[in-house]
Amino acid sequence: MNQLIRAFAFAADKHRNQRRKDAEASPYINHPIALADVLANEAGIDDERVLLAAVLHDTIEDTDTSHDELVRWFGEEVAHIVAEVTDDKSLPKAERKRLQIEHAAHVGHRAKLVKLADKICNLRDIATMPPADWSDERKREYFEWAKRVVDALRGAHAGLEALFDEAYRQGMPPRRAA
Ligand code: NDP
Ligand code: ZN
């Protein structure tokens, strides 16, 4: 419990000047908290390393946090899970998205759980508080890409996969006849 509180404090500090892309520019930290909530309270996962990695999952990708810093505060295993869900930002965006599909099957079990929660939360966000300038077509493209990532790691956790499928079914913007 104390480590988890430390992770929330650490992530809140690292993301303190960041906002999500929705119209209201919600505080960034809401997103890592949402992942931990899905994992713990919707999927019943109590593996502390998974919950810690979920809270910390965007710190390397989106802040100045280093791998060593995560090792120092949260240990090698948690730092490793975060590394497994971190995109290489030196690559072009389309390449990063392709690599997520390619790598999803090959990361460790705990990283798969964090990835599932991340995709569940992002689909829910796009359905309820989307980036302000996204067309329905762009939202559909994101849903389809997220599904390709999840399809590549199926078998990791039936409960999370069901939550993803529900978010996909409920949130996918309908195609309208022209
Ligand atoms: P982005 O990667 O730019 O945005 C999605 C990411 O933003 C999510 O994965 C999430 O990442 C984060 N995020 C922050 N706030 C929200 C929110 N409110 N709801 C959901 N996600 C949020 O977009 P794309 O995934 O679409 O990737 C860009 C790709 O799209 C490029 O390849 C580009 O070429 C293409 N593109 C397509 C367009 C189109 O109209 N189809 C137009 C322009 C570009 P995290 O969890 O890591 O924070
Ligand atoms: Zn995320």
Side-chain angles (χ1 to χ4, degrees), residues 10-156:
F10 182 95
D13 181 50
K14 291 293 188 177
H15 292 298
R16 66 187 177 282
N17 294 320
Q18 296 174 332
R19 296 287 178 274
R20 299 292 285 170
K21 296 173 180 170
D22 59 290
E24 291 182 16
S26 307
Y28 199 93
I29 192 64
N30 290 12
H31 169 65
I33 293 172
L35 262 72
D37 190 36
V38 164
L39 289 163
N41 298 319
E42 294 187 55
I45 290 164
D46 61 4
D47 182 336
E48 189 189 45
R49 290 157 293 187
V50 173
L51 301 179
L52 289 170
V55 173
L56 300 164
H57 82 280
D58 276 331
T59 56
I60 293 194
E61 197 169 295
D62 294 333
T63 79
D64 65 1
T65 306
S66 69
H67 184 83
D68 285 350
E69 208 175 350
L70 292 186
V71 172
R72 203 172 333 124
W73 287 101
F74 304 104
E76 286 282 359
E77 276 186 292
V78 170
H80 179 68
I81 302 166
V82 175
E84 286 185 299
V85 301
T86 298
D87 284 354
D88 179 351
K89 276 206 157 169
S90 69
L91 297 173
K93 215 160 186 182
E95 176 73 354
R96 273 150 52 190
K97 298 194 78 103
R98 191 183 64 74
L99 284 174
Q100 276 211 33
I101 300 169
E102 207 173 290
H103 290 162
H106 307 293
V107 299
H109 179 67
R110 295 186 179 94
K112 287 178 182 170
L113 304 184
V114 176
K115 267 185 174 293
L116 277 161
D118 197 26
K119 298 298 179 270
I120 291 165
C121 290
N122 282 335
L123 292 200
R124 289 178 180 176
D125 280 356
I126 290 169
T128 60
M129 38 182 274
D133 56 346
W134 281 28
S135 64
D136 280 0
E137 181 58 27
R138 175 128 190 221
K139 294 176 194 170
R140 279 195 294 270
E141 276 178 24
Y142 190 95
F143 270 60
E144 281 158 15
W145 167 75
K147 185 167 181 303
R148 283 199 288 275
V149 176
V150 166
D151 284 346
L153 54 72
R154 279 188 197 270

